[in-house]
Each structure stands twice: as C-alpha cells, then as structure tokens.
Amino acid sequence: MSTSTITTSNQEIRHPKPLPAPNSDFFEFAETLPAEELSVVKKLRAYMETKVAPIINKYWVEDSFPFELLPSFKELNLAGLGMHGYGCPGGSPLLVGLVAMNLARTDTSFCTFYGVHSGLAMNTIYLVGTEEQKQKWLPPMARMEKIGCWALTEPLVGSGTGGGLLTTAKREGDTWILNGQKRWIGNAPWCDLSIIWARDVADNQVKGFIVENKTTPGFSVEKIQNKIALKVVQNGQITLNDCRVPDANRLQGGTGTFRDTKLVLRGTRHGSGWEITGTQMGAYENALKYAQERLQFGKPIGSFQLIQELLAKMLANIVACQCMLARSVQLETEGKLTDSQAAIVKAFCTSKARETVSWAREVLGGNGILVDYNVARFFADTEAIYSYEGTFQMQNLIVGKAITGFSAFV
Ligand SMILES: Cc1cc2nc3c(=O)[nH]c(=O)nc-3n(C[C@H](O)[C@H](O)[C@H](O)COP(=O)(O)OP(=O)(O)OC[C@H]3O[C@@H](n4cnc5c(N)ncnc54)[C@H](O)[C@@H]3O)c2cc1C
C-alpha cells in the first residue's frame, strides 16, 4: 500500500492510496467484443484465476495433466468455439482469439491442450471433413467426451513436412493401412482420436485420417519425458504399425493434399499469436505484482527507474502484439487472412514474447527461476511456442517468399 500526501495550511495528511492492479489489457482490447461475447471472456478469466491458477504449478512441476479440471472446464462450453452447428458453440474469430489469450494468461499449457483439441483436431474435421464425419465426430468432441490430437510432425521430419512425410498410407479396398511414427503430438498419450497425416503411396499426396487411438490395433503412444516447457501438456510419440483405418475415416472434404494441413495451420499459427500474447500478459502481470510488493533498500522495487523501464517495455511489447492481432483478426473475420499474414503474426509475437518473459524473469531476481512465483513457467513455456506450429525461421521464410517473390525454402 502506498500513500498519497495532501498538504493543508497547517498539517500534512497521509492517505493510503491503493496501487493500480496489474492490467495487461492496457488498450482495452477485450472491450471491443460485443457484450455477450465479453461475458464469455470474463467468465473464463474468473475460471482460470480461481480454478486453474491455484493448482497449475504443481502439475507443471510433476509433468502431468490436471484431469481434475476437465469436468468444470467442459461446462464453459468452449470446445469448437468459432465453429457453427454440430453441437459447437459458434462465436466470432475475435472471441476465439481472446479466449486463447485469456487461457494462456493463466497457463500456456492449458491453452495448448485446448488449442490442440479444438483448433487443430476439431477444426480439421470442420474444415476438411465430410458432412457425415462432421455429424459423427464433432458433437462428442464439442461435449469433450472425445478429446483429439493432431499428428503431422515425425521423428525425422519437422520443418520439412511439406517436402515429404515418411508415414505412409496404402489403400486396400475400403481400408487404408497406415505405417510410420509421429512425434511431439500434444494430448496423444491420453486422448481418444488422432488426426494422422500420411503420404498416400499411390499418388504421393498427403492425406488426413481420423484414427481411434484406443481401439485401433497397431496404434501405440509413448509419452515424451523430460520436457522443460509446456510440461502440463502431455506430448507423445505415436507408432502406427499396420493400422487399418476404414475409408470412411479419410478426410475427404478438402483437396486430399498437403494443402489441407496448410488451411488448418493458417488458423492455428494465428492462434499461436494469441496464445503467446496471453503468455506475455501472464508473465507481465505477475512481474508487476511482485515489483509492487518486493522491497529492497527499504522501497518497493517497482519504484526504481530501471525496474519501471523493464515493465514499460514489457507492456509495450504486449500492446504491440495485441494491436497486430486486432488487425489480423479483422482480416480473418473478412476471410482475407493470408498464410504470410498469419506467419508474420506468429513470428513477431513469439520473438517479442522471448524479450517480455525474460524481462519478467529479471524483475523477480532469483525468484524468477522458481516456479512458485508464477513467472518461470511462462518463461519456459515461451520456448515451445517459439518453435511449434512452424519455427520462427519457417514463419519468416513464408513471409520472405510473399514479399520478395522468391522462395528460400530448400
Ligand atoms: C511442445 C511441442 C508441442 C508440439 N505439438 C505438436 C503437435 O501437436 N502436432 C504436431 O504435428 N507437431 C507438434 N510439434 C512439433 C513442432 O511443430 C515441430 O517441433 C516444429 O515444426 C519444428 O520441427 P523440429 O522440432 O523437427 O525442428 P527441425 O525442423 O529439425 O528444425 C531445427 C532448426 O532448424 C531450423 N530450420 C529447419 N529448416 C530450415 C531452413 N530451411 N532454413 C532455416 N532454418 C531451418 C528450424 O527453424 C529450427 O531452428 C510440437 C512441438 C513441441 C516442441
């Protein structure tokens, strides 16, 4: 508690003055939502602050997923946000973005778990599934009775997925036989459905398949151990050993080529921009709160000029990312967001985030490396977002190709 001073003619009266509460929405971005959608965001923020924040550090340290949260999270009715029909809640692209941002503001892993299920797995079926597939899979996924994952990356093929996946799909009548491995797949160690991308040996094109993890013979998952980021998300290495999948599970509503993955990734790369901006917001708010409370030399460290400079630079990064998102989401709403626009959002926001979270860590001094103080988790998690959904370099190559007219992909 600071004090303000009022001087009268013959005495000085000191009044307690509450310090400003940390507010990372400095330009009131959320207020641009219509009232009905704003109430969804407010409800989510309250949920994250009261239910997730108190327990998430424990799960992060233990490298485990908080299954205890699933029943209450389902009640928020957020799975399939932005999708219309099929039991999905609908909502504008701006709401979808602000939900991701506010999930990550409390915990980046929880945002990723949700993003993999809704933004990747459900949205793939929504965008490139057939009508029958949407009717069959989306309602139970919207109710979160079935949780999904999305498997493109392989142990030997990461950034170069466009150049040739090693996982193969071979058709035999009405059945496809899948063989290969997928790596880093979020939710895979425990979820129900996988969207598997595999190269059709007949035409060499990449096709998507819905595979039921728990009942498909030959399907196995090994949890990836010893991560230093996004530890709450369970990532797996999937092995497909002669997995037989009916043709009815092949995604047939798109082009049946690698372009289908790009269509989905355009949305989720943009989504990573929201997620990493939320991550910066969480780190900033916790650092500011600490700076208001931590005393050195008899004063709050937040009263020192050099600390204020760090905090102001962090907030400027956040506002810059939010302003970029404010325009990109308009383009998305108009159906005009391009791959290179989504790529520049991801590249810019993740690179600014690396600065923001490291400044937040710095503000906390030694406590900045302790999970208990709610900044170290954001600091570490930022590294994963910087690299997934296409690395910083890949995003810049996409932008570079669009602005120069030359492809520098090798
Ligand atoms: C926590 C986490 C969760 C993930 N979740 C999923 C998931 O759910 N589903 C999924 O399919 N994948 C997932 N991924 C995989 C992720 O998308 C890949 O890690 C990413 O695409 C990079 O691939 P890579 O790790 O194999 O790196 P590599 O491709 O081996 O790249 C290594 C380095 O080389 C650079 N590089 C590569 N090629 C070039 C080039 N031509 N020019 C310049 N630099 C280059 C890269 O930018 C990077 O810095 C996840 C990854 C992580 C870490």
Side-chain angles (χ1 to χ4, degrees):
M1 188 75 64
S2 76
T3 56
S4 61
T5 304
I6 297 175
T7 308
T8 63
S9 55
N10 54 2
Q11 61 178 342
E12 198 177 75
I13 306 166
R14 293 174 76 80
H15 289 282
K17 181 178 150 201
L19 294 172
N23 173 23
S24 53
D25 193 0
F26 202 53
F27 278 28
E28 301 180 355
F29 192 10
E31 300 296 322
T32 60
L33 281 170
E36 196 182 314
E37 293 197 330
L38 181 58
S39 75
V40 174
V41 170
K42 285 187 172 164
K43 198 169 160 195
L44 172 67
R45 276 173 86 116
Y47 176 85
M48 295 303 289
E49 286 167 11
T50 55
K51 299 273 193 266
V52 180
I55 61 170
I56 206 67
N57 282 338
K58 169 179 161 295
Y59 284 99
W60 198 90
V61 170
E62 289 172 356
D63 208 352
S64 62
F65 185 79
F67 290 103
E68 63 174 287
L69 288 171
L70 283 185
S72 54
F73 186 65
K74 283 176 193 176
E75 285 173 18
L76 295 176
N77 194 25
L78 295 174
L81 199 65
M83 296 166 228
H84 300 270
Y86 314 103
C88 298
S92 67
L94 180 58
L95 176 64
V96 176
L98 283 163
V99 160
M101 186 183 267
N102 281 284
L103 285 162
R105 174 179 163 268
T106 295
D107 185 52
T108 318
S109 295
F110 206 71
C111 181
T112 295
F113 141 71
Y114 166 79
V116 169
H117 171 64
S118 187
L120 281 171
M122 287 184 75
N123 205 30
T124 298
I125 297 171
Y126 187 73
L127 289 174
V128 297
T130 60
E131 184 57 30
E132 295 73 38
Q133 288 167 339
K134 291 179 206 179
Q135 298 279 2
K136 178 175 178 184
W137 302 105
L138 291 178
M141 293 176 88
R143 293 192 297 271
M144 295 185 77
E145 291 161 8
K146 298 268 183 213
I147 301 292
C149 71
W150 197 87
L152 177 65
T153 309
E154 302 183 350
L156 299 178
V157 188
S159 302
T161 47
L165 291 180
L166 299 176
T167 299
T168 55
K170 186 165 183 260
R171 188 166 189 163
E172 269 187 20
D174 276 348
T175 302
W176 290 82
I177 301 165
L178 305 183
N179 277 291
Q181 286 194 312
K182 294 288 170 184
R183 186 157 173 82
W184 284 118
I185 310 309
N187 301 346
W190 59 275
C191 75
D192 307 285
L193 304 172
S194 298
I195 306 292
I196 300 283
W197 298 97
R199 187 172 50 80
D200 180 353
V201 292
D203 64 6
N204 227 21
Q205 297 293 340
V206 170
K207 297 182 167 53
F209 299 86
I210 303 167
V211 180
E212 296 191 65
N213 300 15
K214 290 169 183 164
T215 52
T216 306
F219 185 100
S220 61
V221 191
E222 198 180 323
K223 177 180 160 174
I224 296 177
Q225 306 284 356
N226 304 329
K227 287 189 300 172
I228 62 152
L230 287 186
K231 285 161 68 72
V232 171
V233 180
Q234 307 295 290
N235 291 89
Q237 175 149 315
I238 295 174
T239 299
L240 304 146
N241 190 4
D242 282 335
C243 284
R244 300 177 78 84
V245 179
D247 189 48
N249 283 24
R250 177 170 57 90
L251 294 164
Q252 298 170 43
T255 60
T257 71
F258 191 71
R259 281 203 293 279
D260 292 347
T261 69
K262 286 167 76 174
L263 184 64
V264 179
L265 285 173
R266 182 188 304 159
T268 53
R269 279 179 180 154
H270 191 219
S272 299
W274 292 96
E275 178 175 31
I276 201 65
T277 303
T279 300
Q280 296 180 70
M281 292 163 72
Y284 163 79
E285 290 189 16
N286 282 294
L288 172 53
K289 189 162 172 287
Y290 187 88
Q292 289 172 323
E293 292 168 359
R294 172 76 172 172
L295 303 180
Q296 284 300 295
F297 302 96
K299 291 179 180 167
I301 61 168
S303 68
F304 300 145
Q305 291 178 347
L306 296 178
I307 294 286
Q308 289 192 3
E309 187 203 25
L310 287 177
L311 291 165
K313 289 196 300 187
M314 288 159 68
L315 186 56
N317 273 355
I318 292 164
V319 171
C321 294
Q322 290 169 337
C323 288
M324 192 176 208
L325 288 163
R327 176 59 186 149
S328 61
V329 77
Q330 285 175 346
L331 291 167
E332 188 185 28
T333 306
E334 292 163 16
K336 294 199 299 203
L337 186 75
T338 64
D339 286 341
S340 55
Q341 287 165 338
I344 206 167
V345 168
K346 206 237 166 195
F348 179 80
C349 296
T350 52
S351 66
K352 290 288 117 186
R354 271 183 140 185
E355 289 177 357
T356 306
V357 298
S358 70
W359 290 331
R361 197 221 62 72
E362 194 175 334
V363 165
L364 268 70
N367 287 333
I369 66 157
L370 286 179
V371 174
D372 316 59
Y373 287 83
N374 291 317
V375 167
R377 183 164 41 86
F378 293 111
F379 175 77
D381 289 349
T382 294
E383 287 304 300
I385 316 294
Y386 186 73
S387 290
Y388 80 20
E389 299 272 354
T391 65
F392 178 72
Q393 287 76 17
M394 289 301 113
Q395 308 303 337
N396 284 325
L397 289 176
I398 293 168
V399 176
K401 182 179 171 189
I403 59 179
T404 65
F406 302 119
S407 173
F409 286 98
V410 287

